[in-house]
């Protein structure tokens, strides 16, 4: 019996050694892997007929209460769910008709009484208070002839109150398969006056690795951007390095935060792909998705999507939210951040917000989460230390 | 044997025909005979913001002959248009099972089968909704 156990132990050691070797062949480890996801609280909000699936979301702290705010495009409304009291609180519904109409495509909460709404196709930005009352309709003063404002869930809006500068997601009207596309910025900087937005310049610059080579490219090109002090932090999906960009369009490398679950080099997709090939590429490859930051503690959280096989054991396509995810986190100047693995199929790792005190609010509305209850909007508050 | 191999090597007009048929057979229980003369119009009402434009166009058609609407997911817009489109044959895929198959679905998809082969297909971009409707009115 003892000899049998010894054999088993030796086989285990051999397999473990092989696994380690394979791992070091494929990746260069830069972050320390931890498993300490501490669940602080389970949030379950009855929502019955209320929306629960949000591509655009944010958080708001008001009167000692924490709200999750989601944009529901079908009803053209912002829904405020109280995380503190675990109930739906109120919504701001905007009219799609009339002189003050706005078709909300994105929003930015500057303060509890200053919420910016980005109108369809960037026609205007409407500033409202917490009740939805219009403070200002901000019209674009000069023509955006090259880089056109349009919402995108990763490239969010940002407003810098001290300098009255606003950054809006914008798109140059060139296909991203063309090299010329990468010579342009990916957002636009505006000066805000009482009732207008004056285009100053396009901002942003792609890392050189993003330029298509050998008829292939990275496909999902736009970086995730988040306001941090008087700058923006840029998170490129296929680049281990994090960048900042300031109002003078100066881009600087902050630090390299490479996931232990990603290889050094990223796969590329053929330029002449079709929608299915692109979908397969996104589903199977690993890359960085979102970032969220806690400005008080200067802690950054970087979400990582892992690789997965195209098909499951039944020969059916694996789905995006079935794959593994992890979070790299640490102080912005930390060369060796920690990385924590999330439970597979449990969370929606792109609906995640830093709420301070090393805590994240993360959605449980993953369709492959067997414990997710119907008619409830569910989150977890997790602590990463 | 030679004939069989020749048949295997023939390129399909639509790259994802095999998986599309597998999807219809496994999820909607269609049979070979359902591919004799049918136009499938596949719409993902959860992911595509274009669904209202497509429904408006489809609801103005005066013919539903051989047209099968395959509706993926659920949405308020679909619930609104469903009674107006009930003269079409409708297949509903509430759980979006189509995502488990390689069908090439992104924008709405129009696939015309004749004698079990696809003779025409169109990825219906917003600019080409009218073209898709014109094809349904006057196929071939």
């Amino acid at each position: 019996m003892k000899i049998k156990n010894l054999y088993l132990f030796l086989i285990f050691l051999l397999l473990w050694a092989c696994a380690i070797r394979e791992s070091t062949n494929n990746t260069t480890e830069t972050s320390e892997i931890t498993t300490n996801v501490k669940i602080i609280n389970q949030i379950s909000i009855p929502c019955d007929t209320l929306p629960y699936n949000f591509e655009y979301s944010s958080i708001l702290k008001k009167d000692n209460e924490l709200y999750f705010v989601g944009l529901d495009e079908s009803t053209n409304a912002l829904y405020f769910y109280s995380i503190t009291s675990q109930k739906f609180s109120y919504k701001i519904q905007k009219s799609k008709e009339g002189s003050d109409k706005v078709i909300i495509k994105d929003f930015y909460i500057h303060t509890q009484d200053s919420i910016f709404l980005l109108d369809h196709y960037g026609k205007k930005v409407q500033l409202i208070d917490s009740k939805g009352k219009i403070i200002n309709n901000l019209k674009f003063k000069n023509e955006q002839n090259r880089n056109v404002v349009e919402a995108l869930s990763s490239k969010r809006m940002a407003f810098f109150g001290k300098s009255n500068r606003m950054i809006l997601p914008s798109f140059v009207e060139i296909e991203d398969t063309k090299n010329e596309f990468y010579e342009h910025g990916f957002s636009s900087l505006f000066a805000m006056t009482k009732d207008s937005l004056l285009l100053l310049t396009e901002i942003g610059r792609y890392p050189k690795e993003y330029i298509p080579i050998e008829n292939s490219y990275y496909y999902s090109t736009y970086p995730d951007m988040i306001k941090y002090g008087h700058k923006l932090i840029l998170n490129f999906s296929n680049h281990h390095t994090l960048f900042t960009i300031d109002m003078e369009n100066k881009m600087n490398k902050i630090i390299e935060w490479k996931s232990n679950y990603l290889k050094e080099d990223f796969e590329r997709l053929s330029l002449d792909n079709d929608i299915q090939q692109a979908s397969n590429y996104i589903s199977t490859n690993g890359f960085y998705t979102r970032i969220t930051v806690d400005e008080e503690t200067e802690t950054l959280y970087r979400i990582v999507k892992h690789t997965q096989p195209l098909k499951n054991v039944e020969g059916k396509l694996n789905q995006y939210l079935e794959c593994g995810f992890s979070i790299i986190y640490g102080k912005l100047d930390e060369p060796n951040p920690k990385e924590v693995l999330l439970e597979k199929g449990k969370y929606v790792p792109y609906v995640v917000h830093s709420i301070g005190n090393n805590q994240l609010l993360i959605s449980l509305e993953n369709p492959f989460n067997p414990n997710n209850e119907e008619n409830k909007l569910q989150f977890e508050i997790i602590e990463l230390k | 044997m030679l004939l069989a191999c020749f048949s295997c090597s023939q390129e399909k007009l639509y790259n994802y025909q095999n998986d599309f048929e597998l999807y219809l057979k496994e999820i909607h229980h269609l049979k070979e005979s359902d591919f004799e003369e049918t136009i499938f119009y596949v719409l993902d009402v959860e992911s595509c913001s274009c669904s209202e434009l497509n429904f408006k166009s489809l609801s103005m058609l005066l013919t539903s002959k051989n047209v099968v609407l395959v509706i993926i997911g659920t949405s308020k817009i679909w619930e609104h248009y469903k009674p107006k489109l009930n003269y079409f044959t409708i297949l509903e895929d509430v759980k979006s099972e189509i995502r488990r198959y390689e069908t090439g679905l992104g924008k709405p998809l129009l696939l015309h089968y004749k004698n079990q082969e696809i003779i025409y297909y169109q990825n219906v971009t917003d600019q080409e909704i009218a073209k898709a409707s014109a094809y349904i009115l006057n196929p071939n």
Side-chain angles (χ1 to χ4, degrees):
Chain A
M1 189 68 178
K2 276 182 183 172
I3 289 173
K4 191 180 169 190
N5 280 345
L6 182 67
Y7 277 135
L8 283 173
F9 179 68
L10 285 172
I11 289 168
F12 169 77
L13 267 184
L14 188 67
L15 289 173
W16 180 72
C18 290
I20 291 288
R21 194 170 173 181
E22 194 175 314
S23 162
T24 41
N25 281 344
N26 290 336
T27 62
T28 313
E29 293 185 10
T30 58
S31 55
E32 176 197 334
I33 296 179
T34 65
T35 50
N36 54 341
V37 173
K38 188 174 169 190
I39 299 166
I40 300 293
N41 202 357
Q42 300 261 6
I43 310 295
S44 189
I45 303 172
C47 60
D48 292 324
T49 57
L50 295 166
Y52 57 88
N53 223 339
F54 300 102
E55 193 178 348
Y56 296 84
S57 64
S58 190
I59 54 157
L60 169 68
K61 286 176 184 171
K62 185 173 140 186
D63 305 329
N64 294 322
E65 196 147 5
L66 176 68
Y67 295 89
F68 171 81
V69 188
L71 165 62
D72 181 51
E73 290 191 44
S74 67
T75 52
N76 202 36
L78 297 181
Y79 286 76
F80 291 71
Y81 295 91
S82 169
I83 297 299
T84 314
S85 50
Q86 301 203 24
K87 64 177 186 188
F88 168 68
S89 189
Y90 64 100
K91 69 175 177 180
I92 295 176
Q93 178 109 37
K94 299 304 291 183
S95 173
K96 288 185 178 180
E97 306 293 333
S99 57
D100 286 330
K101 71 172 182 181
V102 58
I103 298 171
I104 315 169
K105 286 289 167 183
D106 191 6
F107 67 100
Y108 178 79
I109 300 173
H110 178 55
T111 65
Q112 63 180 57
D113 271 320
S114 302
I115 302 172
F116 293 96
L117 307 177
L118 176 61
D119 192 24
H120 197 30
Y121 295 126
K123 283 181 187 148
K124 67 177 174 193
V125 172
Q126 191 172 83
L127 177 60
I128 58 170
D129 67 13
S130 61
K131 300 267 190 289
K133 192 181 155 201
I134 299 170
I135 300 170
N136 268 324
N137 275 313
L138 305 164
K139 303 240 167 79
F140 293 103
K141 215 167 180 179
N142 47 354
E143 205 170 329
Q144 311 157 45
N145 47 12
R146 266 201 330 192
N147 227 322
V148 181
V149 169
E150 197 179 337
L152 183 79
S153 56
S154 67
K155 293 199 297 182
R156 301 297 299 269
M157 309 163 66
F159 177 63
F160 299 86
K162 279 184 187 168
S163 56
N164 273 332
R165 295 287 187 267
M166 181 173 280
I167 288 180
L168 294 173
S170 63
F171 297 83
V172 59
E173 291 182 316
I174 299 169
E175 286 179 34
D176 61 0
T177 52
K178 305 266 189 291
N179 284 26
E180 191 192 346
F181 173 88
Y182 299 89
E183 293 165 10
H184 293 273
F186 37 74
S187 285
S188 293
L189 176 68
F190 293 86
M192 194 182 99
T193 64
K194 195 183 168 197
D195 59 1
S196 67
L197 289 165
L198 176 69
L199 176 66
L200 298 176
T201 182
E202 63 176 34
I203 66 161
R205 192 160 22 92
Y206 289 97
K208 64 179 188 315
E209 294 85 349
Y210 266 69
I211 298 166
I213 48 164
E214 294 167 356
N215 285 322
S216 65
Y217 71 143
Y218 284 145
Y219 183 67
S220 50
T221 49
Y222 302 108
D224 187 23
M225 310 189 341
I226 196 160
K227 188 187 163 196
Y228 181 71
H230 58 283
K231 294 178 181 177
L232 290 168
I233 299 175
L234 303 178
N235 171 49
F236 289 92
S237 56
N238 297 288
H239 208 292
H240 302 298
T241 304
L242 290 158
F243 297 84
T244 57
I245 193 159
D246 63 18
M247 297 300 104
E248 274 73 51
N249 202 15
K250 279 185 191 147
M251 207 161 123
N252 287 309
K253 287 182 181 179
I254 316 176
I255 202 154
E256 183 175 316
W257 271 14
K258 184 190 163 297
S259 167
N260 290 302
Y261 298 95
L262 297 183
K263 290 182 183 174
E264 196 63 53
D265 296 322
F266 293 92
E267 296 287 328
R268 288 171 180 266
L269 178 67
S270 168
L271 291 178
D272 61 353
N273 66 84
D274 64 28
I275 185 79
Q276 189 63 55
Q277 289 164 330
S279 170
N280 293 351
Y281 172 83
I282 295 290
S283 170
T284 56
N285 281 293
F287 47 83
Y288 301 104
T289 62
R290 292 286 168 92
I291 47 172
T292 182
V293 69
D294 180 353
E295 287 206 38
E296 276 177 30
T297 59
E298 299 180 339
T299 305
L300 185 76
Y301 303 87
R302 189 179 205 190
I303 319 298
V304 187
K305 179 200 171 286
H306 301 176
T307 57
Q308 66 173 349
L310 180 64
K311 294 186 176 179
N312 61 22
V313 287
E314 291 162 354
K316 298 290 185 285
L317 293 178
N318 279 319
Q319 302 296 292
Y320 184 88
L321 283 174
E322 284 180 299
C323 81
F325 285 88
S326 54
I327 303 176
I328 307 176
Y329 64 100
K331 303 282 180 195
L332 274 163
D333 57 356
E334 172 61 62
N336 298 304
K338 292 178 178 172
E339 182 163 17
V340 67
L341 188 63
L342 296 177
E343 193 179 322
K344 245 184 183 181
K346 181 178 180 182
Y347 301 104
V348 182
Y350 47 81
V351 182
V352 57
H353 300 281
S354 165
I355 56 171
N357 296 323
N358 303 308
Q359 293 175 359
L360 296 177
L361 178 74
I362 185 164
S363 169
L364 291 168
E365 297 301 317
N366 187 320
F368 305 103
N369 180 352
N371 300 319
N372 184 241
E373 293 177 54
E374 288 285 319
N375 302 323
K376 288 202 172 153
L377 177 63
Q378 295 182 300
F379 299 91
E380 262 178 13
I381 293 176
I382 59 172
E383 185 179 76
L384 299 177
K385 275 189 172 173
Chain B
M1 182 72 175
L2 269 175
L3 273 176
C5 285
F6 176 71
S7 161
C8 298
S9 64
Q10 265 191 324
E11 271 192 33
K12 304 257 186 203
L13 176 70
Y14 187 62
N15 282 344
Y16 303 107
Q17 180 175 338
N18 289 347
D19 242 25
F20 181 68
E21 287 171 17
L22 189 63
Y23 160 70
L24 289 174
K25 287 172 185 170
E26 288 187 347
I27 303 300
H28 299 288
H29 311 294
L30 297 199
K31 301 180 189 72
E32 294 290 338
S33 56
D34 294 313
F35 299 96
E36 290 298 329
E37 176 61 72
T38 310
I39 295 174
F40 293 98
Y41 203 106
V42 192
L43 278 120
D44 186 336
V45 296
E46 277 181 22
S47 305
C48 192
S49 55
C50 58
S51 45
E52 186 161 18
L53 290 172
N54 280 272
F55 289 143
K56 267 186 189 163
S57 182
L58 287 167
S59 63
M60 286 191 283
L61 295 178
L62 296 173
T63 178
S64 61
K65 202 183 165 196
N66 300 327
V67 178
V68 175
L69 295 185
V70 185
I71 304 297
I72 314 301
T74 56
S75 77
K76 286 182 182 162
I77 289 167
W78 166 236
E79 292 308 318
H80 174 75
Y81 276 94
K82 194 174 171 179
K84 297 176 185 175
L85 296 167
N86 62 6
Y87 51 91
F88 289 105
T89 302
I90 295 170
L91 302 175
E92 287 185 273
D93 177 3
V94 177
K95 290 183 176 172
S96 302
E97 296 285 348
I98 198 167
R99 297 284 165 213
R100 294 280 183 198
Y101 299 81
E102 290 189 275
T103 62
L105 177 66
K107 284 286 181 185
L109 195 55
L110 186 152
L111 294 165
H112 185 184
Y113 273 84
K114 201 164 200 172
N115 301 326
Q116 301 182 12
E117 281 302 327
I118 291 173
I119 59 163
Y120 177 81
Y121 79 91
Q122 186 188 334
N123 289 108
V124 188
T125 60
D126 293 2
Q127 295 75 29
E128 291 189 331
I129 292 173
K131 184 182 166 191
S133 293
Y135 185 84
I136 291 171
L137 286 171
N138 191 16
N140 305 319

